[in-house]
Amino acid sequence: MYQLKSLEDTIVAISTANGQAGIGIIRLSGIQAVTIVDGIFLAKNKKKLSACKSFTVNYGWIMAYPLDKVIDEVLVTVMRAPKSYTKEDVVEISCHGGIVSLRAILQRVLDSGARLAEPGEFTKRAFLNGRIDLTQAEAVLDIIQSKTDTFLQVSTNQLKGELSIELESIREALTKVYIEMEAVVNFPEDDIDSKGRAKLSADIEKAKQKVEGLLKSSEQGRILKEGIKIVLCGKPNVGKSSLLNVLLKQPRAIVSAIAGTTRDTIEETAQIRGIPFQLIDTAGILEPRDVIEEEAIKRSHMSIKSADLVLLMLDASCPLEQEDRDLMSKIKGQNIIVVLNKCDLKQQIEESQIQKSCMSEKMVKVSALEKKGVDALEKIIVEEVWHGKTVEVHGILISNVRHITALKKCFESLDKARSSLSNGLSLEFVSEDIKVAVNYLDSITGRNIDTDLLDNIFSQFCIGK
Ligand SMILES: Nc1nc2c(ncn2[C@@H]2O[C@H](COP(=O)(O)OP(=O)(O)OP(=O)(O)O)[C@@H](O)[C@H]2O)c(=O)[nH]1
Ligand SMILES: [Mg+2]
């Protein structure tokens, strides 16, 4: 099991964001947490923190050295081990949220014997001290980085331990199978008949299906976590930037009647019906007039190529032109939704021609100017990325690449175990596969994980968490 060499240290960090705010919090965790703060805190009621009960908030001042000058007026919360975030003694000093005050108090705590916490070290301690498993620690990171309400809900479920419980139940079933097999391997006189083999096979299959179910959820999970890349493309002046602004609900991009207004690609994130999207507005230019426009075209193409979904914009108020056709041939093979813009004007474009030139059957009519048809567009975008499914946030959604990789390996091992079993192979080999599958499950929850990987996971956290 991984051991942190400095688990004995008392750690400290500013836990609130850098900048000015009403309050700021400095958090300490470790054996010396209460003693250290006692040395620099003067309570209004003169009571020492060491004499205070757990989960009490104490009003007073953090004093400078020597103790005749106040650094700031504070509230100190004491949370004693093991009922704290880290399962150690935790003290939180809430002071005024100015950076000078926060830094001065932090320095005072450091001078009194605490060590500056590494990124994610509080959560790492919660994991190492057995309060949460690794999936829950990772959920904390997901909550902090959450871009949408939907993903926040999914991460909160994971923090509550829903994934851990599911993995534990699969593990338990597989361990039972493993023990039964090992008994047969070690005591051959207890050999099992075909009925016994069929039962073991059915148990493995059940576990395999559960793993498969988790893997199936990962497509939705990944989308919610990372979002979908949508690129707006179309010839100049069709209204790409206008639509971007409508989708973002803010005038982010410059809109003008001059063709070639957008040159550099514009990237913004947006939430559409609970799903995070990265929206990219591109330059419409097709024939470059100078090096800047050459670069603009290059960038547009790069964005289009890497898009999960392309919104091909056409101006409905004029007939389909060669420029539109050129663009269509460039994006062939990609996931496309045709957006007919300027539908507030008299329609000149022939829809049958579009369908002939473009492989996509998905088409929406909008007016970016009058903000019409946007609802229908959003609906079709969500249907496209969600494949008609509903956003299910109450169950378990796997979103972490590390979990997905381990679950895939676990699935493969179980598959191998099942076919070995049905091919009549010795149980010795089958039980080995089961053991490998269990090890993969354990790597997800952190029961067995190597130091480097653990460091890697926690280094993604911010300091103070
Ligand atoms: N009538 C009408 N005009 C629109 C609509 N959408 C955009 N426009 C106008 O079309 C012109 C071009 O709009 P932009 O959004 O700048 O077009 P673009 O595709 O980003 O153009 P480039 O950046 O040059 O490639 C502007 O004058 C807009 O006001 C619409 O739905 N109806
Ligand atoms: Mg533009």
Side-chain angles (χ1 to χ4, degrees), residues 213-228:
L214 288 175
L215 277 169
K216 271 193 188 144
S217 75
S218 66
E219 195 189 340
Q220 286 196 339
R222 297 290 298 156
I223 291 175
L224 283 185
K225 182 171 186 169
E226 293 182 354
I228 289 279

Side-chain angles (χ1 to χ4, degrees), residues 447-465:
R447 270 186 200 243
N448 65 353
I449 193 156
D450 65 69
T451 321
D452 287 350
L453 195 57
L454 204 59
D455 284 343
N456 186 11
I457 291 169
F458 285 101
S459 66
Q460 297 166 42
F461 279 67
C462 45
I463 290 188
K465 190 66 214 175

Side-chain angles (χ1 to χ4, degrees), residues 223-284:
I223 291 175
L224 283 185
K225 182 171 186 169
E226 293 182 354
I228 289 279
K229 198 167 176 179
I230 298 188
V231 172
L232 288 143
C233 80
K235 68 179 183 204
N237 251 348
V238 289
K240 301 177 291 298
S241 301
S242 305
L243 184 66
L244 175 88
N245 292 345
V246 172
L247 291 172
L248 292 177
K249 300 183 180 69
Q250 54 159 310
R252 169 68 180 84
I254 300 172
V255 167
S256 89
I258 302 165
T261 301
T262 308
R263 289 214 187 173
D264 210 351
T265 47
I266 298 172
E267 298 192 19
E268 279 294 332
T269 49
Q271 234 194 89
I272 301 176
R273 301 185 183 202
I275 301 173
F277 286 93
Q278 186 186 4
L279 295 175
I280 305 173
D281 180 19
T282 60

Side-chain angles (χ1 to χ4, degrees), residues 69-138:
K69 207 177 124 224
V70 170
I71 295 181
D72 198 2
E73 181 189 32
V74 296
L75 286 174
V76 175
T77 312
V78 178
M79 289 161 274
R80 288 187 198 281
K83 289 191 173 174
S84 73
Y85 186 69
T86 56
K87 268 191 133 181
E88 302 172 338
D89 279 352
V90 170
V91 177
E92 284 182 2
I93 305 170
S94 304
C95 63
H96 292 104
I99 200 65
V100 177
S101 162
L102 277 162
R103 292 222 175 118
I105 296 174
L106 175 68
Q107 193 55 54
R108 191 76 175 94
V109 174
L110 289 171
D111 293 343
S112 306
R115 164 174 73 71
L116 196 62
E118 291 165 10
E121 198 171 352
F122 290 91
T123 311
K124 195 186 210 171
R125 287 188 172 199
F127 165 67
L128 292 171
N129 291 324
R131 194 181 71 79
I132 52 173
D133 73 5
L134 208 49
T135 65
Q136 291 169 300
E138 288 169 317

Side-chain angles (χ1 to χ4, degrees), residues 331-440:
I331 59 173
K332 224 168 219 161
Q334 292 208 243
N335 199 6
I336 304 164
I337 295 175
V338 179
V339 182
L340 285 190
N341 190 32
K342 309 200 183 183
C343 286
D344 50 295
L345 303 175
K346 188 172 181 299
Q347 184 166 335
Q348 301 272 354
I349 205 161
E350 279 184 44
E351 289 174 34
S352 58
Q353 277 193 346
I354 303 168
Q355 251 136 17
K356 229 188 283 160
S357 317
C358 183
M359 299 306 282
S360 178
E361 284 168 9
K362 286 152 261 168
M363 191 169 356
V364 193
K365 293 181 182 178
V366 304
S367 164
L369 188 72
E370 295 183 355
K371 299 188 175 75
K372 283 195 181 135
V374 182
D375 244 19
L377 174 63
E378 288 187 348
K379 189 163 172 267
I380 199 167
I381 289 174
V382 171
E383 273 170 11
E384 194 52 34
V385 299
W386 225 234
H387 307 298
K389 288 182 237 159
T390 48
V391 184
E392 181 51 75
V393 294
H394 300 295
I396 302 164
L397 278 190
I398 303 287
S399 61
N400 188 309
V401 186
R402 198 181 70 79
H403 301 175
I404 296 169
T405 313
L407 283 172
K408 277 187 183 155
K409 299 265 189 200
C410 173
F411 182 84
E412 282 166 18
S413 301
L414 292 179
D415 203 38
K416 200 166 149 224
R418 267 216 71 192
S419 55
S420 302
L421 203 60
S422 52
N423 290 336
L425 250 71
S426 158
L427 289 189
E428 220 170 313
F429 299 109
V430 188
S431 74
E432 193 50 37
D433 289 329
I434 302 289
K435 197 163 122 192
V436 173
V438 169
N439 276 342
Y440 280 119

